[in-house]
Amino acid sequence: MSQSTTPALPVTFRPGRTRAILLTMGLAMFVVITAVAMMLERLGPGERASFVFTAALLSGVLVLLSRPKVVADEDGVTVVNITRTRRLAWAEILKVNLRPGDPWVFLDLSDGTSLPALGIQPGIAKESAIRDARALRALADSRGTSAETR
């Protein structure tokens, strides 16, 4: 791919449909569990609070699961996974991989490790994930170590 087919920077890749479903389910679950807690007449204030706390905890887990994204800018890539964020310079990314059956993109790094990038995952939107992985690969190829050797 040539640099002219790479997306304009900055660009954010995230699983939009998966995120929408997770956030919608989190909100719905919170509302339903809280409503049930308020409708049960036998519950005391402490028990109702524990229902609401449990609903908030479950919703919080779904919010964390909806957090992943990959943000590419002129200086590099920020990978936001469920609980960790890592900033990478373009030169650190040797290869962008999304092989058949992979749950998400993996970045092969110059230190010999591989970093999962959960922001590009083929779960619900396979075509979109493939397109995003190709775009990130083109950006890495045009700005990373392979561009420096030209």
Side-chain angles (χ1 to χ4, degrees):
M1 257 184 205
S2 69
Q3 191 166 354
S4 62
T5 60
T6 60
L9 295 177
V11 63
T12 300
F13 304 105
R14 71 170 18 143
R17 290 183 197 161
T18 302
R19 179 177 165 83
I21 290 169
L22 288 169
L23 292 175
T24 302
M25 292 303 298
L27 178 63
M29 193 169 42
F30 180 81
V31 168
V32 168
I33 293 173
T34 301
V36 167
M38 297 306 152
M39 292 178 3
L40 292 174
E41 296 173 6
R42 291 180 161 186
L43 296 181
E47 293 167 316
R48 285 188 182 166
S50 71
F51 266 74
V52 173
F53 176 76
T54 301
L57 190 63
L58 293 172
S59 296
V61 168
L62 293 180
V63 168
L64 277 176
L65 291 173
S66 71
R67 187 173 179 255
K69 65 182 175 180
V70 177
V71 180
D73 59 32
E74 291 294 335
D75 299 323
V77 174
T78 302
V79 177
V80 179
N81 286 333
I82 295 171
T83 59
R84 293 191 60 202
T85 299
R86 184 161 175 197
R87 179 74 182 160
L88 301 166
W90 285 112
E92 293 179 80
I93 303 171
L94 299 179
K95 190 172 182 184
V96 177
N97 292 308
L98 180 60
R99 296 173 293 266
D102 279 351
W104 40 71
V105 162
F106 289 91
L107 305 177
D108 290 344
L109 305 179
S110 59
D111 65 2
T113 63
S114 181
L115 176 68
L118 280 63
I120 303 175
Q121 49 183 267
I124 297 173
K126 185 177 182 178
E127 296 80 21
S128 177
I130 292 170
R131 185 175 51 252
D132 290 350
R134 286 181 179 152
L136 184 59
R137 184 178 300 133
L139 287 167
D141 287 348
S142 68
R143 289 173 166 70
T145 54
S146 60
E148 292 172 3
T149 58
R150 289 185 194 146

